[in-house]
Amino acid sequence: MERWSFVGRTDELNRLVSAATSPDTRGLFFSGIAGVGKSRLLWRCLEDLPELGCAIWSASANIASAGIPFGGLAQVLPADQPAGLSPAGIMRWAVDALHQQAAGRRIVIGIDDAHLLDPSSAALVYLIARSDNATVLGTLRSGEPVPLPIRALWTDDLVDHAELAPLGQADTTDLLAAMLGDPVDAPSADRLHRLSAGNALMLRELVIAAHASEELTRAYGVWRWTGRTQLPPSLDDLIDARIGQLDQGVRAVVELVAMGEPIGLALVSRATDSSSVEVAEERGLIQVVTHDRRSDVRLAHPLYGEVVRRRCPVTRARRLNARLADLVERAGTRRRDDLLRVAVWRLDSGTSPDPELLLNAGGQAFSQFDVPLAARLARAALDAGGGYQAAELLATILMFGDRAAEAIEVLDSVADQITSDERRSRWLTVRGMVSYWGLNRESTVAEIAADAERLTDPADRARVVAFEAIMRLHRLECAEALRLSRSVLDRPAATVAARGLARCTIAHLQAARGELVLSGRAVEGVAAEAAQWRVEMPYLQLALELARGTRLALAGDLAGIDAIVAAEFADLADAGDFRLGSGYLSILRAQAARLRGQTGEALRTSLGACAVLATSKVFAGLAHAERAQAAAMRGDVESAMEAMAESDRSHTSGMAILYPWLEQARAAVLAATGDLPAAVAGLRGLVGLLQSDGFAGHEVLVLHDLVRLGRADIEIGEPTVTGRRQSVVQRLTELSETVDGPLPALMARHARAEYGHSGDQLLAVADGFSELDLNVFAAEATSRAVARLRAARSTRSHEANLRLAGLLRRCDVLRTPALSTRQPALTERERQIARLAARGLASRNIAEQLYISTRTVENHLQRVYNKLGVAGRGELWPALRSMPEQEGEPDR
């Protein structure tokens, strides 16, 4: 692991620096709980201040020096202290000595743990704060008594005082990456953030323990945490100190809450002594959270529960779990999760082998996409005699936990219990799902079709046919998939789940064909019926998200993608280790980030998707293809090629429906290597395949890729009735009238503007892309407009430069062919002179600095103006900033 780094806290750090350097303030003290990062923040500020002309002294108060006069400031006081001075005399001498040593600079005293200062040191700090040209910065531990002179600093309005809040989610994620040297996947970062409650010290100890126990694993440059870490002794001791000694009544409250949180306040008061509940809350061990007239009790910190549960004797833990189950059952299982919680308590207490309770709870856990908990409950139900139903549920869960072979064994173990068509249909669909997607056996499709013919009940048969249809869609047998799906919808006896699966198949196909409005309606209809199908078929959500995500990606609807990745399903999938769900949504997130030009975020997110899907045979190829696109867009050719090769290795024929995305990525990688002819040839071939399959929605994007490579004029596809092939611009114009949404028309306008060499039209197109947040397309169109306008010596050249510079500022590292081709090349000397001129230096000053003549400077500048199409110095900096090889905007 990397050494402990300072990450985040930008606002707090700026506030400290401002307090230390502003003539209007005398200082700032931050209070906070132990481990929140107060000390690191203070030291980080003090490290920066010498460069700002300050004289810095620092001290760390501690218990050992708390009883020694001036012991807390022994590190600050000069060593040559005169003899015979009274305490008051020492303080006056110390202030004068510090000012003499500062030699006119601003004095800054930084004191860590100022609550531990001895009275004399505290009084000296107050005196320093009152002196001229001096600042006092410090930290305090929340809840500890503060010496009166220190408290008087803010009560007398000498300094500001603020509470340092825990780290936010973003800062926690950044800190984890700094500690481990590589990013941490979003679900792991979220769990570690919640468990540490934003406390930097606790987070660090958790990471050290997880790393030591090998529960932090790294794949594709991304760390992932299994979440089973045992607390290290150092963290155990810290939490022990916070919890303190508990009497029997308070311990009973804390243990009950630890086993059952969140638990209703009324239930806690009923099961324990109410006065003990009050004491536990006063001591900060528990907290009461009120929401919608409901008051729940939780432990004040998530790690308290880890310690309390581990130290609770087994017999008492079993008794408490049984007590919790009894309490909730007597009150009536009215809340959404009561059934699930009771089942877990019964299982942990050993008080109920009821397979029906465990089975229902397992189904509920799976409907919330908590795969580990669902698997535990389903297996317990099977062991308790749950029979076929428990085996079906467990096998389904194992499939989504990447344990397909084990799932087949579980299903085959209950094959002799298939006594009806209803059971056979369910057994066939689950086994088919595991065999096809889990084990990649394409023969499954023919087998399930033959088995479906032997079912007599229409509803049972519809279920199997709906699964056959979506399998055929993924095999690219689109006509048959459509026919089968429609046959399911034509059967009134089909269940809501079967009909929903059929509609998702159709919606996916409609999106690929460019029928985005119809696809959206179908998706919305299935989503509206989620309450009816989620218990029976929770994994239908994945088919729904795939259809919805395909439509949004083809429409370029980045706001729509943001909405679904922020919805409840995304949170549940991340928290519950539903890898297929969280992995696919990560791919969508990466696509949206890439199109916005946030290539670093796109690469990190796609790497996270690759790590999550490392053992999956479904979306792994797509994840690596997206990683290849992000790397290619950043100009990282080696990583892009490696990712594309990994995509080819991990992609399965059973997911052939994804081929347009993979082939687009391949062309992007070829273009990044500089092999534009191969990239163009690949895209032309892809257009032919898409036309053959009728995938007009995908075809629009591929044709636009050709426009972005400057090939709007080339011919594509098969010859028309006239015997001639259409050009890219002609085909895009045609599709803009049949494919839904604003994007096809905008891309067709882009093609026409590129074909017509119109800089003005390219700028108008860029505006349209910018409004959709498609910053990459907007920047590329603007870059081409700059080149056209320069060539035409248009007066709009400067405007185009400014707009391109603004668009590039909205993007991360961006290296695409459209941003690098036909750009003016400046010599090193021309670039050097242009930078200096952009900073405002006169030609004479530039000449003196570079030891050349003023006339030479003017000649170089004139050539720069001609190359960049600018009128003078005032237009230089945006023109330089708009050049892709320019690392940053010239200093002004």
Side-chain angles (χ1 to χ4, degrees):
M1 286 199 312
E2 300 291 330
R3 66 180 294 273
W4 180 245
S5 302
F6 183 84
V7 172
R9 300 288 195 195
T10 303
D11 292 341
E12 295 89 342
L13 181 60
N14 289 339
R15 188 174 176 186
L16 274 174
V17 172
S18 177
T21 57
S22 173
D24 299 327
T25 61
R26 296 295 183 97
L28 171 63
F29 275 70
F30 273 120
S31 294
I33 61 175
V36 77
K38 308 180 298 298
S39 300
R40 192 69 184 90
L41 175 64
L42 177 62
W43 300 137
R44 181 69 180 81
C45 171
L46 297 179
E47 288 171 6
D48 289 345
L49 292 179
E51 297 180 2
L52 301 177
C54 298
I56 314 298
W57 285 273
S58 61
S60 294
N62 55 69
I63 295 176
S65 63
I68 303 173
F70 298 107
L73 294 185
Q75 305 158 65
V76 173
L77 294 175
D80 56 344
Q81 177 179 331
L85 291 179
S86 66
I90 292 176
M91 286 191 282
R92 286 192 296 271
W93 164 81
V95 173
D96 291 340
L98 290 175
H99 277 285
Q100 289 176 13
Q101 292 185 39
R105 293 172 295 168
R106 188 174 184 85
I107 293 175
V108 178
I109 304 290
I111 306 152
D112 192 29
D113 287 337
H115 57 282
L116 295 176
L117 284 174
D118 60 278
S120 299
S121 294
L124 177 55
V125 169
Y126 182 86
L127 190 61
I128 292 172
R130 293 197 67 92
S131 68
D132 293 334
N133 203 28
T135 294
V136 178
L137 307 176
T139 69
L140 302 158
R141 182 175 296 180
S142 298
E144 296 289 341
V146 178
L148 290 178
I150 299 299
R151 184 178 298 279
L153 288 171
W154 57 86
T155 58
D156 291 352
D157 292 327
L158 290 174
V159 305
D160 292 329
H161 179 226
E163 188 75 19
L164 187 62
L167 290 171
Q169 175 68 65
D171 282 348
T172 298
T173 301
D174 290 343
L175 183 55
L176 286 168
M179 282 193 288
L180 295 168
D182 282 306
V184 177
D185 76 305
S188 298
D190 180 63
R191 288 197 295 271
L192 285 165
H193 173 70
R194 284 188 281 109
L195 193 57
S196 67
N199 185 287
L201 176 60
M202 291 189 176
L203 180 69
R204 185 173 187 269
E205 294 296 335
L206 283 171
V207 171
I208 290 173
H211 198 275
S213 60
E214 299 183 349
E215 289 171 352
L216 270 172
T217 58
R218 184 176 177 274
Y220 302 106
V222 176
W223 289 96
R224 190 166 183 274
W225 181 48
T226 62
R228 297 187 300 271
T229 298
Q230 293 293 318
L231 298 186
S234 57
L235 197 52
D236 225 356
D237 293 342
L238 177 63
I239 295 170
D240 265 349
R242 286 201 190 178
I243 294 176
Q245 296 296 317
L246 304 179
D247 62 36
Q248 187 172 354
V250 174
R251 179 183 291 107
V253 173
V254 172
E255 287 180 343
L256 189 73
V257 175
M259 299 297 174
E261 64 177 335
I263 182 171
L265 178 59
L267 293 182
V268 175
S269 299
R270 190 181 310 160
T272 60
D273 180 62
S274 58
S275 61
S276 297
V277 176
E278 293 175 6
V279 172
E281 185 179 11
E282 287 174 356
R283 288 184 54 179
L285 300 174
I286 64 173
Q287 57 182 349
V288 179
V289 181
T290 301
H291 180 69
D292 290 341
R293 296 182 299 176
R294 176 185 298 169
S295 295
D296 285 332
V297 182
R298 293 180 178 272
L299 292 177
H301 193 287
L303 289 178
Y304 291 179
E306 296 291 323
V307 172
V308 171
R309 286 189 291 270
R310 191 175 69 225
R311 294 187 175 179
C312 186
V314 173
T315 52
R316 186 154 70 228
R318 290 169 68 91
R319 176 175 58 79
L320 287 170
N321 281 311
R323 176 70 169 142
L324 285 164
D326 290 339
L327 285 168
V328 173
E329 285 178 337
R330 287 176 195 157
T333 53
R334 294 169 294 182
R335 299 187 185 184
R336 176 183 175 185
D337 293 333
D338 280 350
L339 172 68
L340 180 58
R341 285 150 57 82
V342 167
V344 172
W345 289 328
R346 291 297 183 197
L347 185 61
D348 288 344
S349 65
T351 55
S352 175
D354 180 6
E356 185 176 357
L357 172 64
L358 297 170
L359 183 62
N360 291 336
Q364 184 173 338
F366 191 36
S367 71
Q368 297 175 16
F369 307 105
D370 189 338
V371 173
L373 178 59
R376 181 187 175 213
L377 290 165
R379 189 174 294 282
L382 184 63
D383 293 342
Y388 169 79
Q389 288 181 304
E392 178 196 336
L393 177 61
L394 178 58
T396 304
I397 296 166
L398 290 172
M399 157 64 193
F400 288 99
D402 293 330
R403 297 158 67 182
E406 187 179 349
I408 290 290
E409 291 179 4
V410 170
L411 285 170
D412 289 347
S413 71
V414 293
D416 58 341
Q417 298 180 32
I418 302 174
T419 56
S420 65
D421 269 8
E422 191 271 338
R423 280 195 176 183
R424 178 164 294 279
S425 71
R426 299 180 69 91
W427 188 83
L428 285 173
T429 53
V430 174
R431 201 178 194 286
M433 177 174 60
V434 175
S435 177
Y436 183 79
W437 283 291
L439 300 176
N440 196 34
R441 294 175 182 167
E442 291 193 62
S443 61
T444 302
V445 180
E447 294 166 2
I448 200 172
D451 288 331
E453 292 294 328
R454 292 193 285 271
L455 298 173
T456 57
D457 183 85
D460 297 332
R461 188 171 182 181
R463 180 186 179 91
V464 179
V465 170
F467 268 86
E468 181 190 347
I470 199 166
M471 290 178 191
R472 292 196 182 277
L473 172 70
H474 288 163
R475 279 166 53 101
L476 215 55
E477 298 174 11
C478 300
E480 183 64 4
L482 182 60
R483 184 189 71 80
L484 292 171
S485 296
R486 286 173 173 169
S487 73
V488 172
L489 297 180
D490 290 340
R491 297 182 185 184
T495 64
V496 172
R499 295 170 66 84
L501 187 58
R503 290 162 75 185
C504 286
T505 299
I506 294 173
H508 191 149
L509 191 54
Q510 287 170 329
R513 291 179 172 178
E515 301 168 357
L516 303 182
V517 174
L518 291 175
S519 176
R521 290 173 184 167
V523 165
E524 290 171 4
V526 177
E529 296 174 343
Q532 300 177 59
W533 52 254
R534 182 155 290 158
V535 174
E536 177 188 353
M537 197 184 289
Y539 43 86
L540 172 56
Q541 184 80 42
L542 190 56
L544 173 66
E545 299 304 337
L546 182 58
R548 177 159 43 193
T550 300
R551 180 181 66 84
L552 292 171
L554 291 176
D557 187 352
L558 305 190
I561 292 176
D562 292 344
I564 67 170
V565 299
E568 181 185 31
F569 171 64
D571 291 338
L572 292 173
D574 281 349
D577 203 24
F578 186 45
R579 298 182 189 179
L580 282 181
S582 61
Y584 176 67
L585 292 180
S586 291
I587 295 171
L588 272 185
R589 279 193 287 260
Q591 284 182 321
R594 172 170 54 84
L595 292 174
R596 285 190 170 106
Q598 300 302 314
T599 55
E601 176 63 22
L603 187 59
R604 286 189 295 272
T605 308
S606 58
L607 281 167
C610 293
V612 168
L613 297 168
T615 57
S616 168
K617 300 178 183 296
V618 181
F619 296 125
L622 183 61
H624 288 290
E626 185 54 42
R627 174 165 68 103
Q629 286 248 54
M633 193 169 282
R634 292 176 64 83
D636 187 350
V637 175
E638 184 177 349
S639 295
M641 293 175 65
E642 185 274 329
M644 199 66 232
E646 187 65 27
S647 175
D648 290 337
R649 284 192 293 270
S650 56
H651 181 60
T652 65
S653 56
M655 294 299 292
I657 190 68
L658 301 177
Y659 82 88
W661 305 113
L662 274 61
E663 295 309 313
Q664 272 190 279
R666 192 183 314 281
V669 173
L670 287 170
T673 66
D675 194 349
L676 293 183
V680 170
L683 291 171
R684 291 181 72 183
L686 179 55
V687 168
L689 290 174
L690 294 171
Q691 289 183 350
S692 176
D693 289 328
F695 287 175
H698 282 285
E699 188 186 351
V700 167
L701 300 188
V702 177
L703 290 169
H704 187 245
D705 282 350
L706 286 167
V707 174
R708 294 169 61 209
L709 293 177
R711 302 312 307 269
D713 58 329
I714 64 170
E715 294 182 343
I716 42 86
E718 296 297 322
T720 63
V721 292
T722 64
R724 297 186 60 182
R725 292 183 174 88
Q726 289 179 300
S727 67
V728 170
V729 65
Q730 289 172 331
R731 179 59 176 165
L732 261 177
T733 300
E734 180 181 79
L735 289 176
S736 69
E737 299 175 357
T738 58
V739 175
D740 297 334
L743 196 58
L746 186 57
M747 289 179 167
R749 285 176 58 200
H750 189 186
R752 291 193 294 272
E754 181 65 34
Y755 184 78
H757 307 292
S758 173
D760 290 332
Q761 288 300 314
L762 284 167
L763 285 180
V765 166
D767 285 341
F769 284 131
S770 182
E771 289 175 4
L772 297 175
D773 215 11
L774 298 169
N775 297 327
V776 172
F777 299 161
E780 289 178 338
T782 306
S783 177
R784 301 288 282 186
V786 169
R788 300 300 186 198
L789 294 170
R790 281 175 181 162
R793 296 190 176 276
S794 169
T795 57
R796 300 192 70 190
S797 176
H798 177 53
E799 173 197 343
N801 271 322
L802 287 173
R803 288 166 65 172
L804 180 55
L807 285 166
L808 292 176
R809 279 196 295 270
R810 292 160 62 178
C811 299
D812 201 346
V813 177
L814 206 54
R815 303 285 185 267
T816 70
L819 289 170
S820 58
T821 57
R822 301 184 186 178
Q823 294 290 333
L826 300 182
T827 66
E828 183 58 35
R829 176 63 86 182
E830 288 170 346
R831 183 181 295 280
Q832 186 181 29
I833 291 172
R835 285 174 173 169
L836 293 171
R839 294 183 184 130
L841 270 70
S843 296
R844 177 173 52 81
N845 300 124
I846 297 174
E848 292 174 354
Q849 184 171 329
L850 299 180
Y851 301 102
I852 57 179
S853 70
T854 302
R855 184 166 185 173
T856 300
V857 172
E858 292 293 344
N859 289 338
H860 276 300
L861 281 176
Q862 191 57 52
R863 284 194 294 272
V864 169
Y865 298 157
N866 291 336
K867 287 182 178 182
L868 299 184
V870 299
R873 295 169 182 263
E875 299 179 7
L876 267 179
W877 79 260
L880 291 172
R881 176 64 181 85
S882 69
M883 297 179 68
E885 65 269 27
Q886 185 73 14
E887 294 181 0
E889 180 180 311
D891 296 333
R892 302 211 60 184

